[in-house]
Amino acid sequence: MSAAPGRSQASSHGSPQGEGTPVSGFTAVARLARGTAHVVRGLWMIVVVFPRLTPLHREAHVQAWASRMLVILGVKLVVTGSPPAAGPVLLVANHISWLDIVVMHAARHCRFVSKADVRGWPLIGTLATGAGTLYIERESRRDALRVVHHMAERLREGDILAVFPEGTTSDGVHLLPFHANLLQAAITAQAPVQPVALKFTDRRTGALSLAPCYIGDDTLLGSIWRTLSAPSIEAVVVFGEPQHAQGRNRRTWAEALRDEVIRLRG
C-alpha cells in the first residue's frame, strides 16, 4: 500500500540480470549532481510556484519534472496500453523500487497513497506532499478506515489515485500477495481499478534489470548508486484495461488484479 520505497523481507536479490559494464564513475557522479539539482528545483517549485497554480497545472508540472528526472538518471520510459485520460480511477501496480513513483508520475500523474512517516522525510516528504500524496498510518486500523473514506471521496471527485498493494517492494520477478483493504475505496465509490505492471529492463538485451531494486539487504543509497551506474535501464509501464468489482469482494478482486499484473508483465 505504500508509495514510498519499502523493504521486502526477502533476502538480497544478488547480481542484476542482463547488466552490462557499469558506466564510468564520472558519468554516475554527474547524474547524481544533476539529479540533486533537479530535486532542489522541484522543492523550489512546490514552495514558491505551486501556491499560484491550479491543480491541473500542478499535475502537469509534476509529470514534466518526473519525465526530466528519468532523462537525468539515464532511464528510458516505455509506456504501453492506455493511461487513464481522466478519473475517477484507482491504479494498482506492483512495487519494485523507489524509482517506481517517478516512473508512474512520468507515465501519468496520479495521487499516491503512502505511509504517514514519509511526510516527515527530508526532501522526499516535501516532494511527495507537493505531488498530492495521501498519507496512512499503516499500523492503525482506524486510520486505514479514514484513508479508505478519503480515497472514496477523492474518487467521487474524479481523481486518479495509485496504490502498491504488495505493501512493500519485491524483486519484480515474484510478486507478493496483494493486500485488499484499499480496494474498498473503489468498491464504495463504484470506481474502476486499472492494473499497471512495472518492470525494469536492459535496453540492449531486453533482460530484466535488477539495478533499481530496493529489497532485502539493500540500502537506499546503494540502490540509487546502482541505478546511476547502470548502462542502459528501460522503465516499462504497461497499463491494463480498467475493470469494476462486478460483485466481487475486495479480497477476490485483489487476487484477480495480482494475476492480471503478472500477465501484463509478460
Side-chain angles (χ1 to χ4, degrees), residues 46-166:
I46 287 170
V47 174
V48 177
V49 179
F50 272 26
R52 302 196 299 267
L53 299 180
T54 66
L56 284 178
H57 282 97
R58 291 179 189 175
E59 292 176 7
H61 276 288
V62 171
Q63 187 167 4
W65 182 92
S67 298
R68 178 58 185 162
M69 178 60 83
L70 292 182
V71 172
I72 290 170
L73 298 178
V75 177
K76 179 182 178 182
L77 177 65
V78 176
V79 178
T80 62
S82 300
V89 63
L90 176 63
L91 304 179
V92 168
N94 60 303
H95 197 12
I96 302 170
S97 170
W98 54 273
L99 192 56
D100 297 345
I101 301 167
V102 180
V103 168
M104 287 191 65
H105 272 318
R108 178 52 167 108
H109 179 271
C110 50
R111 298 185 70 182
F112 283 98
V113 179
S114 174
K115 59 183 182 180
D117 53 345
V118 169
R119 181 162 37 195
W121 289 4
L123 303 181
I124 294 176
T126 303
L127 290 172
T129 301
T133 299
L134 305 178
Y135 294 104
I136 180 173
E137 295 283 354
R138 281 205 271 179
E139 305 303 323
S140 169
R141 179 176 176 81
R142 178 177 296 180
D143 197 59
L145 292 174
R146 176 191 65 81
V147 171
V148 167
H149 178 71
H150 188 33
M151 288 173 62
E153 287 182 337
R154 297 317 309 164
L155 288 170
R156 291 191 189 101
E157 291 295 321
D159 278 7
I160 299 174
L161 305 182
V163 297
F164 295 123
E166 288 175 283

